[in-house]
Coordinates of all heavy atoms in Angstrom, one line a residue:
R276 N -34.8 -0.2 -50.8 CA -34.4 1.1 -50.4 C -34.1 1.2 -48.9 O -33.6 2.2 -48.4 CB -35.6 2.1 -50.7 CG -35.6 2.5 -52.2 CD -36.7 3.5 -52.4 NE -36.8 4.0 -53.8 CZ -36.1 5.0 -54.3 NH1 -35.2 5.6 -53.5 NH2 -36.2 5.3 -55.6
H277 N -34.3 0.1 -48.1 CA -33.8 0.1 -46.8 C -32.3 -0.2 -46.7 O -31.7 -0.1 -45.6 CB -34.6 -1.0 -46.0 CG -35.9 -0.5 -45.4 ND1 -37.0 -0.4 -46.2 CD2 -36.3 0.0 -44.2 CE1 -38.0 0.0 -45.5 NE2 -37.6 0.3 -44.3
G278 N -31.8 -0.8 -47.8 CA -30.4 -1.2 -47.7 C -29.6 -0.8 -49.0 O -29.0 0.3 -49.0
L279 N -29.6 -1.6 -50.0 CA -28.8 -1.4 -51.2 C -29.0 0.0 -51.8 O -28.0 0.6 -52.2 CB -29.2 -2.5 -52.3 CG -28.5 -2.4 -53.6 CD1 -27.0 -2.5 -53.5 CD2 -29.1 -3.4 -54.6
N280 N -30.2 0.5 -51.9 CA -30.5 1.7 -52.5 C -30.9 2.8 -51.5 O -31.7 3.8 -51.9 CB -31.6 1.5 -53.6 CG -31.2 0.7 -54.7 OD1 -30.0 0.5 -54.9 ND2 -32.1 0.3 -55.6
R281 N -30.5 2.8 -50.3 CA -30.8 3.7 -49.3 C -30.2 5.1 -49.6 O -30.7 6.1 -49.1 CB -30.3 3.3 -47.9 CG -28.8 3.2 -47.8 CD -28.4 2.6 -46.5 NE -29.0 3.3 -45.3 CZ -28.9 2.9 -44.1 NH1 -28.3 1.8 -43.8 NH2 -29.3 3.7 -43.1
D282 N -29.3 5.2 -50.5 CA -28.6 6.5 -50.9 C -29.4 7.2 -52.0 O -29.0 8.3 -52.4 CB -27.2 6.2 -51.3 CG -27.0 5.3 -52.5 OD1 -27.8 4.3 -52.5 OD2 -26.2 5.6 -53.4
L283 N -30.5 6.6 -52.5 CA -31.2 7.2 -53.6 C -32.5 7.8 -53.2 O -33.2 7.4 -52.3 CB -31.5 6.1 -54.7 CG -30.3 5.3 -55.3 CD1 -30.7 4.2 -56.2 CD2 -29.4 6.3 -56.0
G284 N -32.8 8.9 -53.9 CA -34.1 9.6 -53.7 C -35.1 9.2 -54.7 O -35.1 8.1 -55.3
F285 N -36.0 10.2 -55.1 CA -37.0 9.9 -56.0 C -37.0 10.8 -57.2 O -38.0 11.0 -57.9 CB -38.4 9.9 -55.3 CG -38.6 8.8 -54.4 CD1 -38.2 8.8 -53.1 CD2 -39.2 7.6 -54.9 CE1 -38.4 7.7 -52.2 CE2 -39.3 6.5 -54.0 CZ -39.0 6.6 -52.7
K286 N -35.9 11.5 -57.4 CA -35.7 12.3 -58.7 C -35.6 11.3 -59.8 O -35.3 10.1 -59.6 CB -34.4 13.1 -58.6 CG -34.5 14.2 -57.5 CD -33.2 15.0 -57.5 CE -32.0 14.2 -57.2 NZ -30.8 15.1 -57.1
A287 N -35.8 11.8 -61.0 CA -35.9 10.9 -62.2 C -34.6 10.1 -62.3 O -34.6 8.9 -62.6 CB -36.1 11.7 -63.5
E288 N -33.4 10.7 -62.1 CA -32.2 10.0 -62.3 C -32.0 9.0 -61.2 O -31.4 7.9 -61.4 CB -31.0 11.0 -62.3 CG -30.8 11.9 -61.1 CD -31.6 13.2 -61.3 OE1 -32.5 13.3 -62.1 OE2 -31.1 14.2 -60.7
D289 N -32.5 9.3 -60.0 CA -32.4 8.3 -58.9 C -33.3 7.1 -59.1 O -33.0 6.0 -58.8 CB -32.7 9.0 -57.5 CG -31.6 9.8 -57.0 OD1 -30.5 9.8 -57.6 OD2 -31.8 10.5 -55.9
R290 N -34.5 7.4 -59.6 CA -35.4 6.3 -60.0 C -34.8 5.4 -61.0 O -34.9 4.2 -60.9 CB -36.7 6.9 -60.5 CG -37.6 7.5 -59.5 CD -38.8 8.2 -60.2 NE -39.7 8.8 -59.3 CZ -40.8 8.2 -58.8 NH1 -41.1 7.0 -59.1 NH2 -41.6 8.9 -57.9
S291 N -34.1 5.9 -62.0 CA -33.5 5.1 -63.0 C -32.4 4.3 -62.4 O -32.2 3.1 -62.7 CB -32.9 6.0 -64.1 OG -34.0 6.6 -64.9
E292 N -31.6 4.9 -61.5 CA -30.5 4.1 -60.9 C -31.0 3.1 -60.0 O -30.5 2.0 -59.9 CB -29.6 5.1 -60.1 CG -28.4 4.4 -59.4 CD -27.5 3.6 -60.2 OE1 -27.5 3.8 -61.5 OE2 -26.7 2.9 -59.6
N293 N -32.1 3.4 -59.3 CA -32.8 2.4 -58.5 C -33.2 1.1 -59.3 O -32.9 0.0 -58.9 CB -34.0 3.0 -57.8 CG -34.8 2.1 -57.0 OD1 -34.3 1.6 -56.0 ND2 -36.0 1.8 -57.3
I294 N -33.8 1.4 -60.4 CA -34.2 0.2 -61.2 C -33.0 -0.5 -61.8 O -33.0 -1.7 -61.9 CB -35.1 0.7 -62.4 CG1 -36.4 1.4 -61.8 CG2 -35.5 -0.4 -63.3 CD1 -37.1 0.5 -60.8
R295 N -32.0 0.3 -62.2 CA -30.8 -0.4 -62.8 C -30.1 -1.3 -61.8 O -29.8 -2.5 -62.2 CB -29.7 0.7 -63.2 CG -28.5 0.1 -64.0 CD -27.4 1.1 -64.1 NE -26.8 1.3 -62.8 CZ -25.9 0.5 -62.2 NH1 -25.5 -0.6 -62.9 NH2 -25.3 0.7 -61.1
R296 N -30.0 -0.9 -60.6 CA -29.3 -1.7 -59.6 C -30.2 -3.0 -59.3 O -29.6 -4.1 -59.2 CB -29.1 -0.9 -58.3 CG -28.1 0.2 -58.3 CD -28.0 0.8 -57.0 NE -27.2 2.1 -57.0 CZ -27.0 2.9 -56.0 NH1 -27.4 2.5 -54.8 NH2 -26.3 4.0 -56.2
I297 N -31.5 -2.8 -59.2 CA -32.3 -3.9 -58.9 C -32.3 -4.9 -60.1 O -32.3 -6.1 -59.9 CB -33.8 -3.5 -58.6 CG1 -33.8 -2.7 -57.3 CG2 -34.7 -4.6 -58.5 CD1 -35.1 -2.0 -56.9
G298 N -32.3 -4.4 -61.3 CA -32.2 -5.2 -62.5 C -30.9 -6.1 -62.5 O -30.9 -7.2 -62.8
E299 N -29.8 -5.5 -62.0 CA -28.5 -6.2 -62.0 C -28.6 -7.3 -60.9 O -28.1 -8.4 -61.1 CB -27.4 -5.3 -61.7 CG -27.0 -4.3 -62.8 CD -26.3 -5.0 -64.0 OE1 -26.0 -6.2 -63.9 OE2 -26.1 -4.3 -65.0
V300 N -29.2 -7.0 -59.8 CA -29.3 -8.0 -58.7 C -30.3 -9.1 -59.2 O -30.0 -10.3 -59.0 CB -29.9 -7.4 -57.4 CG1 -30.1 -8.5 -56.4 CG2 -28.9 -6.4 -56.9
A301 N -31.4 -8.8 -59.9 CA -32.3 -9.8 -60.4 C -31.6 -10.7 -61.4 O -31.9 -11.9 -61.4 CB -33.5 -9.0 -61.0
K302 N -30.8 -10.1 -62.2 CA -30.0 -10.9 -63.2 C -29.2 -11.9 -62.5 O -29.1 -13.1 -62.9 CB -29.2 -10.0 -64.1 CG -28.4 -10.7 -65.1 CD -27.4 -9.8 -65.9 CE -26.2 -9.4 -65.1 NZ -25.2 -8.7 -65.9
L303 N -28.5 -11.6 -61.4 CA -27.6 -12.5 -60.7 C -28.5 -13.6 -60.1 O -28.1 -14.8 -60.1 CB -26.9 -11.7 -59.6 CG -25.8 -10.7 -60.1 CD1 -25.2 -10.0 -58.9 CD2 -24.7 -11.4 -60.9
L304 N -29.6 -13.3 -59.5 CA -30.5 -14.3 -58.9 C -31.0 -15.3 -60.0 O -31.0 -16.5 -59.7 CB -31.6 -13.6 -58.2 CG -31.3 -12.9 -56.9 CD1 -32.5 -12.1 -56.3 CD2 -30.7 -13.8 -55.8
A305 N -31.4 -14.7 -61.1 CA -31.8 -15.6 -62.2 C -30.7 -16.5 -62.7 O -30.9 -17.7 -63.0 CB -32.4 -14.8 -63.4
D306 N -29.5 -16.0 -62.7 CA -28.3 -16.8 -63.1 C -28.0 -17.9 -62.1 O -27.5 -18.9 -62.5 CB -27.1 -15.9 -63.3 CG -25.9 -16.6 -63.9 OD1 -26.0 -17.1 -65.0 OD2 -24.9 -16.7 -63.2
A307 N -28.4 -17.6 -60.9 CA -28.3 -18.7 -59.8 C -29.3 -19.7 -59.9 O -29.3 -20.7 -59.2 CB -28.3 -18.0 -58.4
G308 N -30.3 -19.6 -60.9 CA -31.3 -20.6 -61.1 C -32.6 -20.3 -60.3 O -33.5 -21.1 -60.2
I309 N -32.6 -19.1 -59.6 CA -33.7 -18.7 -58.8 C -34.8 -18.0 -59.6 O -34.5 -17.3 -60.6 CB -33.3 -17.8 -57.6 CG1 -32.3 -18.6 -56.7 CG2 -34.4 -17.2 -56.8 CD1 -31.6 -17.7 -55.7
I310 N -36.1 -18.2 -59.2 CA -37.1 -17.4 -59.8 C -37.3 -16.2 -59.0 O -37.7 -16.2 -57.9 CB -38.5 -18.2 -59.8 CG1 -38.3 -19.5 -60.6 CG2 -39.6 -17.4 -60.3 CD1 -39.5 -20.4 -60.5
C311 N -36.8 -15.1 -59.6 CA -36.7 -13.8 -58.9 C -38.0 -13.0 -59.2 O -38.3 -12.8 -60.4 CB -35.5 -13.0 -59.4 SG -35.4 -11.4 -58.6
I312 N -38.7 -12.5 -58.2 CA -39.9 -11.8 -58.4 C -39.6 -10.3 -57.9 O -39.2 -10.1 -56.7 CB -41.0 -12.4 -57.5 CG1 -41.2 -13.9 -57.9 CG2 -42.3 -11.6 -57.8 CD1 -42.1 -14.6 -56.9
T313 N -39.8 -9.4 -58.8 CA -39.6 -8.0 -58.3 C -41.0 -7.3 -58.3 O -41.9 -7.6 -59.1 CB -38.8 -7.2 -59.3 OG1 -39.5 -6.9 -60.5 CG2 -37.5 -7.9 -59.6

Side-chain angles (χ1 to χ4, degrees):
R276 283 183 177 272
H277 278 81
L279 177 64
N280 292 347
R281 66 187 301 173
D282 60 320
L283 300 176
F285 289 89
K286 297 182 293 186
E288 56 269 27
D289 282 357
R290 286 174 180 265
S291 292
E292 176 61 12
N293 178 61
I294 298 306
R295 188 196 69 80
R296 293 183 192 178
I297 294 174
E299 291 286 355
V300 174
K302 179 184 75 171
L303 294 176
L304 290 174
D306 187 62
I309 297 170
I310 298 173
C311 177
I312 305 166
T313 72

